[in-house]
Amino acid sequence: MSGPTESQGVSASAGDSVPEPSLGALLPRCAFGGALMGLANLVPGISGGTMLLAAGVYERFINAIADLTRFRVGVRPVAVLAIVVLSAGVAIALLAGVVKVLVVEHRWIMYALFIGLTLGGVPIVVRLIRRTGGGMTGGAWGGAVGGFLAMAALALMQMSQPEASNRDGVVFMLLAGIAGASAMILPGVSGGYLLLLLGAYVPLLSSIDGLKQAVVERDARAAFGEFPTLVPVGFGVLIGVVVVSQVLRWLLARYEKPTLGVLLGLLVGAVVGLWPFQRPMVPAAGDVLKGQVVRTVEPRPEETGHDRAVAVTEFDVIGAEDWPTETFAPSGVQAASALGIALLGFGVTMGIGLLDRAKPSHKEHPPGVGG
């Protein structure tokens, strides 16, 4: 199977039939798509790629990355990439703290929502596979099974190791940034979910919110204190976008159906790690958290005026977001509510996916995944 040449880029298949909008008309759409992508990266289960696809700028975003990584600098690709990234960054900075609080304090509700949001991406990926022609072939099914088993194994491994003491180092955060960036390249895979699975999700949200607060308060020392987390993640994101985008383009050009099948399997397997009925496990004196021995657990006032339980060690104060979790048996009301919330999330992702009305003129290459 042959794809578009590198010089043609991802959108080559539609270039002859769809007039290219002016830059002035394109940039507001890029800003909208970038804001949606930023929100998606905060919420596990929603793919940033899906948001760009729904906004109609996914092809141009991928092409802009391809052009700039090959040093083909032009006004249009620079403007597209800059507006998408800037809009996503603003959305993340403004909402990271709110999402973190919701995940920590209302975990089962948010995880049920994440399950629905994740499964809502399945029809989107299936549609991508069908656009390549021939539907689900043996290669697509094989890739789906392999992707599911890999993601399920990763989820089970992380669930069996709740202690997060080794999940905040520079190397780990660099790898987390690569994983998160990799996931936003293709529709259907959630970067936020991968970060959640790796144990880097809440620490990263905490650092983003901490940096925002430090900037508002003009506290340079507090701002620099967040750099050990944010700088490695930033480098990881850059590496992931540049390297993984090229690898995925190569795979999709040569093994399109199996690769999309793997994407589908990863999406379904992601649900294994999102069992909603979990809660922070209150540590006791003598327990070890983040490599430190807990002296006591006591309430501490927050800026909101509420008291939050924290674990006090010799060197640190560790909040509930860094405690290990335990499962619990839900009540009938909780189980029914979780099902309803999951269905709501499914509908949200499905609805966003329906915004993508683009019809490819080349049946072998769906928008944004050819080449």
Side-chain angles (χ1 to χ4, degrees):
M1 175 176 60
S2 62
T5 64
E6 291 183 352
S7 62
Q8 288 174 309
V10 177
S11 60
S13 61
D16 295 334
S17 59
V18 180
E20 185 70 11
S22 67
L23 189 59
L26 180 61
L27 291 186
R29 189 187 297 180
C30 290
F32 176 66
L36 288 178
M37 184 176 74
L39 290 173
N41 287 331
L42 284 176
V43 181
I46 301 184
S47 162
T50 296
M51 298 299 100
L52 293 180
L53 191 66
V57 296
Y58 179 75
E59 297 175 59
R60 296 177 179 90
F61 177 71
I62 295 298
N63 281 335
I65 294 174
D67 286 343
L68 294 180
T69 54
R70 297 186 181 99
F71 302 102
R72 296 171 182 168
V73 180
V75 174
R76 182 176 287 264
V78 169
V80 167
L81 199 58
I83 294 299
V84 169
V85 171
L86 180 62
S87 300
V90 170
I92 290 172
L94 291 177
L95 296 174
V98 175
V99 174
K100 183 200 77 170
V101 170
L102 289 174
V103 171
V104 172
E105 299 188 8
H106 307 283
R107 190 181 300 262
W108 73 267
I109 295 175
M110 297 301 292
Y111 274 33
L113 179 63
F114 297 161
I115 288 175
L117 294 171
T118 300
L119 292 180
V122 171
I124 296 172
V125 180
V126 170
R127 186 169 74 240
L128 290 177
I129 295 174
R130 288 176 177 171
R131 285 184 183 181
T132 65
M136 290 289 293
T137 62
W141 280 112
V145 172
F148 174 82
L149 293 176
M151 182 61 82
L154 179 61
L156 293 173
M157 180 180 67
Q158 294 295 333
M159 291 171 66
S160 67
Q161 298 175 357
E163 171 60 52
S165 60
N166 297 319
R167 298 181 189 175
D168 55 0
V170 172
V171 174
F172 177 79
M173 284 300 174
L174 177 69
L175 295 176
I178 294 174
S182 303
M184 78 180 182
I185 299 300
L186 281 177
V189 174
S190 166
Y193 172 75
L194 289 184
L195 293 175
L196 183 68
L197 195 63
L198 292 171
Y201 178 69
V202 172
L204 181 56
L205 291 188
S206 297
S207 289
I208 293 172
D209 191 48
L211 179 62
K212 183 185 72 174
Q213 294 296 330
V215 170
V216 170
E217 297 169 3
R218 298 181 181 180
D219 187 341
R221 183 174 181 179
F224 281 112
E226 304 297 344
F227 281 16
T229 296
L230 297 179
V231 171
V233 170
F235 276 110
V237 168
L238 180 62
I239 294 170
V241 168
V242 172
V243 176
V244 178
S245 64
Q246 300 302 323
V247 172
L248 290 174
R249 285 169 64 89
W250 183 87
L251 287 172
L252 287 164
R254 290 158 179 79
Y255 310 103
E256 191 166 28
K257 279 190 178 294
T259 302
L260 289 173
V262 170
L263 179 66
L264 179 62
L266 292 174
L267 196 61
V268 178
V271 176
V272 175
L274 286 174
W275 176 251
F277 304 112
Q278 304 179 46
R279 60 192 172 197
M281 187 164 53
V282 180
D287 289 351
V288 177
L289 292 180
K290 301 181 70 174
Q292 303 176 55
V293 178
V294 175
R295 288 183 170 181
T296 183
V297 176
E298 59 188 50
R300 290 286 180 93
E302 290 192 335
E303 295 179 358
T304 58
H306 298 287
D307 287 343
R308 304 296 182 202
V310 296
V312 181
T313 71
E314 183 178 357
F315 304 103
D316 200 1
V317 173
I318 303 175
E321 62 268 21
D322 291 320
W323 296 355
T325 59
E326 61 182 355
T327 59
F328 66 92
S331 66
V333 172
Q334 286 176 322
S337 299
L339 178 59
I341 293 169
L343 290 174
L344 174 64
F346 182 89
V348 169
T349 304
M350 280 286 293
I352 293 172
L354 292 176
L355 295 177
D356 172 34
R357 300 294 185 181
K359 299 295 182 182
S361 59
H362 190 299
K363 69 179 183 179
E364 289 187 343
H365 293 281
V369 296

